[in-house]
Amino acid sequence: MAWTYEQKFNTLANGNLNGQDGWSVPSGIVTVQTNIVYEGAKAIELDRPNGSANAIRSIEAINEGTVYFAIRTAGSMTWGAHDAVAFHLQEGTTTRMRIQLGQSNIWILDNTTDVSIYSSAASNTWYLIALQFDNINHPNQYRARVHDGAWQPWSDWKTVGGGSYTEINRIFIPQRAGEFNSFIDTITPTNPYPPPAVPKSRGFVF
């Protein structure tokens, strides 16, 4: 079954994400807000100054598909580890696929190692990510590419975390505690670029 879940956050209520559309926030503060968005009216903000923040949502079990999402972090990109903010696809609670933004790079998990697929990431900038997997034609592998104003080439196929998987059934979005907030927007199976125009004051930056 292919990826079908979509959440652009535009119709959710402002404030705490916890309990909306099946999302849970087991730690930290994750807020639906209107100030900094990739598309539409709203995106979610993970509040780092108040500690690490995590958001989780179960999805229908799938073994192939492409998901797009927009990711952004504030402050210095030289701070911290690879996972200033990250987007995980999990099987149960085990991470099989992972994209991370941090240290001026966008990283992909290759079994047990983080590999850079984009080496000039900047703070306060939206990056659109396409993540693709197909456990029939490319068993136990996935790949990704970055849109920074134009689509960059696909990465090589990488091995999923743990070496193998059956199905993906959960989204996990964590970030480390620190001094900068991060943002996620427009989780969708449909290529959202170009997004609807919004005023620059609301964070539309490439």
Side-chain angles (χ1 to χ4, degrees):
M1 181 172 290
W3 185 285
T4 59
Y5 176 69
E6 180 174 79
Q7 180 52 261
K8 296 184 177 181
F9 305 105
N10 297 324
T11 61
L12 300 188
N14 292 349
N16 193 350
L17 176 65
N18 189 58
Q20 299 200 62
D21 184 42
W23 287 91
S24 63
V25 180
S27 66
I29 300 171
V30 182
T31 303
V32 179
Q33 53 80 48
T34 60
N35 292 324
I36 297 176
V37 302
Y38 177 74
E39 65 79 39
K42 302 179 184 182
I44 60 170
E45 179 176 9
L46 296 96
D47 191 343
R48 293 184 70 168
N50 289 289
S52 61
N54 302 320
I56 296 171
R57 191 191 192 281
S58 295
I59 59 172
E60 186 174 12
I62 53 176
N63 62 7
E64 60 99 5
T66 301
V67 57
Y68 299 86
F69 61 93
I71 191 169
R72 170 184 172 132
T73 192
S76 172
M77 284 291 288
T78 62
W79 178 90
H82 296 174
D83 56 338
V85 61
F87 185 94
H88 298 225
L89 296 183
Q90 297 185 317
E91 185 172 24
T93 59
T94 300
T95 293
R96 300 302 188 193
M97 306 168 195
R98 182 174 70 203
I99 300 294
Q100 300 182 134
L101 172 62
Q103 291 186 332
S104 300
N105 284 255
I106 296 173
W107 310 83
I108 190 170
L109 177 66
D110 188 8
N111 195 356
T112 60
T113 303
D114 293 321
V115 177
S116 175
I117 59 171
Y118 184 83
S119 60
S120 55
S123 61
N124 299 310
T125 302
W126 284 107
Y127 294 99
L128 181 64
I129 309 296
L131 188 156
Q132 185 177 78
F133 56 101
D134 182 345
N135 209 24
I136 297 172
N137 296 304
H138 293 274
N140 304 317
Q141 294 182 315
Y142 72 114
R143 63 180 182 171
R145 62 176 176 169
V146 177
H147 192 290
D148 63 351
W151 280 113
Q152 302 303 306
W154 285 102
S155 70
D156 296 336
W157 290 95
K158 307 300 183 184
T159 302
V160 298
S164 65
Y165 78 107
T166 301
E167 294 176 314
I168 296 299
N169 56 20
R170 195 165 89 146
I171 301 168
F172 175 48
I173 302 172
Q175 69 162 11
R176 288 179 179 266
E179 57 182 311
F180 310 121
N181 287 11
S182 298
F183 304 85
I184 296 286
D185 199 359
T186 192
I187 302 169
T188 176
T190 304
N191 183 355
Y193 186 81
V198 296
K200 289 186 177 180
S201 63
R202 291 173 62 189
F204 184 73
V205 179
F206 286 108

